[in-house]
Amino acid sequence: HYAYSSRSYTSRTAVFRFYARRFGAVLFSYYATWVVMLVFSYVACFTSACITNDHQLDPWYAVSRGVLSLLMLQSFEPTEPYFPNGPAWTISTMGLLWLLYPALQRGLKGPFARRPGAVAAAAWAATQLPVLMCFLAPRPASEGPDAPW
């Protein structure tokens, strides 16, 4: 936020320039590594090394995960990571924030300028909320008090 706080994204041209700078800096390397991992995965499956959890990987499963990764959406399907490209997953999570930043920037300017400590404390508390919900949630009656999480 601090790197772009002095800029205003009120016009379409300014927003387009922001997107071009953010996405333009990573898209070539993102898709270059996507192609490398696609070739690597194909070679691995062709040599019968495409084994996960003691069973061979379903080709349609692999194709669907490859398409999600191509569209930078693999971070929104969290059941089982298939596409072995960790940096691409990270960039896909950042992509949503980059898309939202011009719209959120005006809302972020005010609180950070007036009370940066309060905003940081609220952000920290928000990150702890899921952990508290897990520990405070009642357990089903079928599980005993000694059941593992």
Side-chain angles (χ1 to χ4, degrees):
H1 170 71
Y2 293 109
Y4 295 100
S5 63
S6 64
R7 300 189 182 167
S8 177
Y9 299 110
T10 54
S11 70
R12 289 184 185 195
T13 305
V15 171
F16 178 75
R17 286 183 183 157
F18 172 78
Y19 290 152
R21 280 192 305 271
R22 291 284 78 206
F23 287 103
V26 298
L27 282 183
F28 175 77
S29 61
Y30 179 87
Y31 287 115
T33 58
W34 187 86
V35 169
V36 168
M37 293 312 300
L38 187 67
V39 170
F40 175 77
S41 297
Y42 177 76
V43 169
C45 286
F46 184 73
T47 60
S48 298
C50 186
I51 307 291
T52 61
N53 298 334
D54 298 330
H55 64 279
Q56 187 164 0
L57 191 63
D58 178 28
W60 290 111
Y61 180 81
V63 168
S64 68
R65 296 309 178 259
V67 170
L68 283 174
S69 184
L70 176 69
L71 299 174
M72 295 180 75
L73 297 173
Q74 72 269 29
S75 63
F76 299 102
E77 206 288 308
T79 57
E80 183 178 335
Y82 160 69
F83 215 71
N85 192 349
W89 183 89
T90 303
I91 290 171
S92 74
T93 59
M94 292 171 57
L96 177 64
L97 297 175
W98 292 340
L99 286 173
L100 294 176
Y101 182 75
L104 296 174
Q105 183 200 30
R106 278 177 274 154
L108 292 173
K109 276 187 175 183
F112 274 109
R114 289 189 296 260
R115 294 188 179 126
V119 173
W124 178 83
T127 62
Q128 302 307 310
L129 187 60
V131 175
L132 287 173
M133 289 174 59
C134 285
F135 284 116
L136 297 177
R139 290 184 180 211
S142 61
E143 296 181 12
D146 298 329
W149 282 94

